[in-house]
Amino acid sequence: MTARPLPQNHDLERQALACVLIDTNAWTHLADLAPAAWHNPATRELAGLMHELHAAGQPLDDLGLILQRAADSKRGQTVNTAFLQAVMGMEVSAFYAERYAAELRHLHGRREAIRRAHQLVHHASEGDLSPDELATMASQVGGALDVRSRSGFTSHAQAIDEALADMESEAPNAISTGFVDLDAQLLGWEPGAMYVLAARPAMGKSALGYSFVTLAAQNGMHAAVGSLEMPAKALTTRSIATAASVDLNRIRQRILTPAEKQRCRNAAARLRGLPITFMDAPDQTGSSIARDARKLRAAGKLDFLMIDYLQLIETGNADSGNRVQEVSQISRTLKKLAMELQIPIVVLSQLSRAVEARPNKRPVLSDLRESGAIEQDADTVMFIYRDEYYNPNTDQQGIAEVIVGKQRNGPVGSVKLAYNSEFVRFANLSRQPDLYGAA
């Protein structure tokens, strides 16, 4: 059977470059096309020459200059007078350069999807990859069809313009944490950043992490929870209890009063419509979390991701034998995922027992369990400390400290939140309305 040719349109490629020779302003639409977007070797070489001329500050429409540079770089056999005349002979208008660029991205995406699919078939046939690795490879096939303008390079001028535009915006490009003082410290959750929230057991890290999810969803963001510690039903039961101001143990023991049951029903009605998705398979790996997150993001259902918790994630490599390296690998995977999807990711983490052996129980960065890479990969590292847990007679009753031990783009410091141990609820100390809206 004759193989079908790859999707391509060489006339369209020549038309796109003809636009630049007619009006050099058209280059702004074509400059970020990857070299592989030009299927024809001649148009790929000409586009490369235009890149070089543009970088050197030289005119892109000077045919003599193009031919001279082609000859000097031993590309004269491909980019010659006959080829340039053929390009100039195309009937085009520079007005359509943006449309041509979009179509070339689409064709390139289809070719890349075919290439990745062939790789998947090859490895599936050979059996040289684990099922998890094959599933990850399969999830990346469709990613090639993302035809948005993208490039592996950003010019200094582009970066400056983006920074200025960000400065001039009315508010930071971030999702509110839902806590006034924490927003003042962090500016909120920023796209592409990874946040680590770490604590010893019984400090309330799962409760605070899920509060972040709920508050993001209440602000209209699509949130997801990668929960390896508790199933979705257990998390939502906790959430209902917190929102209804009902003791969770009374729910578990089925000894609720009629009034408490009604408060739970009311809370459930308020929470039910929130755009939250759970990824609660018990055997999740770093790769499977990334794969599921990509699916949700592609479907427009992911703006914020919380993972509970880091040390429970597996790599899928049973032969590793080195848990520190595994956690380091997972940490890097999650940081790259945040940057790829341009979403904030909050990762919960355990602390080592070294905290308990010190007179001062406030956590520090060296207490992060199993990997110094967590500290390196995270944009922000936060710890929860409740003095009342260690010192029953403290004057800090009902107060939780969120210690910002690292912040890549801001100061470190400490923020105090109100904490209700009966309902495992965090709130603003400034006595703002209850974060769940409970009566």
Side-chain angles (χ1 to χ4, degrees):
M1 184 175 68
T2 305
R4 295 184 62 179
L6 291 172
Q8 47 83 14
N9 188 332
H10 291 181
D11 283 344
L12 182 68
E13 294 179 21
R14 287 191 288 268
Q15 288 175 318
L17 294 175
C19 290
V20 181
L21 297 177
I22 294 170
D23 181 354
T24 56
N25 290 324
W27 182 246
T28 59
H29 301 298
L30 305 174
D32 68 345
L33 288 173
W38 308 96
H39 184 263
N40 186 314
T43 54
R44 189 183 311 126
E45 295 286 10
L46 178 53
L49 288 166
M50 288 181 170
H51 268 291
E52 295 170 15
L53 291 171
H54 186 262
Q58 297 177 308
L60 305 184
D61 55 354
D62 188 325
L63 300 187
L65 196 58
I66 291 173
L67 289 171
Q68 183 60 52
R69 184 174 281 268
D72 293 344
S73 58
K74 298 182 180 180
R75 287 175 279 186
Q77 289 187 339
T78 305
V79 180
N80 51 36
T81 301
F83 174 69
L84 289 180
Q85 287 177 342
V87 172
M88 289 294 294
M90 304 298 295
E91 296 185 5
V92 297
S93 167
F95 176 80
Y96 296 109
E98 186 174 7
R99 183 183 301 176
Y100 296 153
E103 181 59 27
L104 290 176
R105 285 190 193 93
H106 179 61
L107 291 168
H108 177 217
R110 290 169 60 194
R111 292 196 298 273
E112 179 64 14
I114 291 170
R115 185 190 69 81
R116 294 181 186 183
H118 283 168
Q119 283 187 330
L120 175 63
V121 170
H122 168 76
H123 289 294
S125 300
E126 293 294 322
D128 55 351
L129 294 179
S130 69
D132 195 58
E133 289 172 324
L134 285 174
T136 297
M137 184 175 287
S139 74
Q140 293 171 342
V141 172
L145 298 174
D146 179 2
V147 296
R148 294 173 294 178
S149 173
R150 60 188 186 273
S151 169
F153 305 96
T154 299
S155 71
H156 188 251
Q158 285 175 313
I160 289 290
D161 290 343
E162 290 175 5
L164 281 175
D166 190 54
M167 290 178 197
E168 293 171 2
S169 62
E170 294 183 0
N173 179 25
I175 299 171
S176 171
T177 66
F179 298 96
V180 176
D181 293 337
L182 194 55
D183 277 347
Q185 181 75 25
L186 303 180
L187 298 181
W189 311 121
E190 297 187 88
M194 184 175 88
Y195 300 82
V196 171
L197 178 64
R200 289 293 294 157
M203 288 293 111
K205 67 178 180 293
S206 293
L208 184 56
Y210 195 71
S211 294
F212 292 148
V213 172
T214 305
L215 290 160
Q218 286 177 342
N219 285 328
M221 302 296 159
H222 287 85
V225 179
S227 177
L228 293 90
E229 187 173 37
M230 290 187 287
K233 186 177 76 171
L235 282 169
T236 51
T237 300
R238 270 193 177 196
S239 180
I240 291 169
T242 299
S245 297
V246 172
D247 189 331
L248 180 61
N249 285 325
R250 291 179 61 79
I251 295 177
R252 294 174 60 199
Q253 295 170 18
R254 304 297 191 271
I255 56 174
L256 295 179
T257 66
E260 288 173 330
K261 286 184 179 180
Q262 188 57 48
R263 291 210 305 273
C264 287
R265 293 189 194 101
N266 294 341
R270 290 196 302 272
L271 297 170
R272 193 177 189 280
L274 294 179
I276 299 173
T277 303
F278 293 93
M279 302 186 294
D280 57 351
D283 57 348
Q284 290 180 89
T285 64
S287 297
S288 71
I289 289 172
R291 184 170 65 248
D292 292 343
R294 290 188 187 104
K295 289 179 183 177
L296 288 172
R297 185 64 169 167
K301 295 181 178 180
L302 184 60
D303 303 306
F304 177 87
L305 174 61
M306 189 273 284
I307 297 171
D308 185 12
Y309 57 86
L310 179 62
Q311 284 78 13
L312 290 179
I313 303 174
E314 301 291 339
T315 61
N317 182 6
D319 300 324
S320 170
N322 189 323
R323 187 56 184 165
V324 172
Q325 289 183 2
E326 287 184 347
V327 172
S328 298
Q329 178 185 337
I330 294 163
S331 174
R332 282 190 291 271
T333 297
L334 295 176
K335 171 56 183 172
K336 289 178 181 178
L337 181 66
M339 295 181 66
E340 174 193 339
L341 302 184
Q342 279 299 290
I343 61 169
I345 297 180
V346 175
V347 184
L348 307 191
S349 176
Q350 286 185 334
L351 293 178
S352 70
R353 291 189 179 90
V355 175
E356 310 296 336
R358 299 195 303 260
N360 185 349
K361 310 296 185 185
R362 281 180 173 79
V364 294
L365 289 172
S366 59
D367 294 324
L368 286 169
R369 183 175 173 182
E370 290 184 320
S371 178
I374 302 173
E375 175 188 344
Q376 296 170 16
D377 296 330
D379 295 277
T380 299
V381 178
M382 300 172 289
F383 305 104
I384 304 174
Y385 172 76
R386 292 194 296 112
D387 196 53
E388 65 180 356
Y389 181 81
Y390 295 104
N391 303 300
N393 298 322
T394 181
D395 61 356
Q396 300 294 300
Q397 297 292 332
I399 293 177
E401 246 183 279
V402 177
I403 302 168
V404 179
K406 174 194 174 181
Q407 188 173 190
R408 202 183 301 277
N409 297 316
V412 297
S414 182
V415 172
K416 291 185 177 181
L417 303 177
Y419 178 75
N420 185 311
S421 57
E422 182 181 4
F423 306 129
V424 197
R425 179 164 58 210
F426 291 84
N428 291 304
L429 267 180
S430 53
R431 308 305 177 195
Q432 296 292 323
D434 188 287
L435 72 157
Y436 287 100

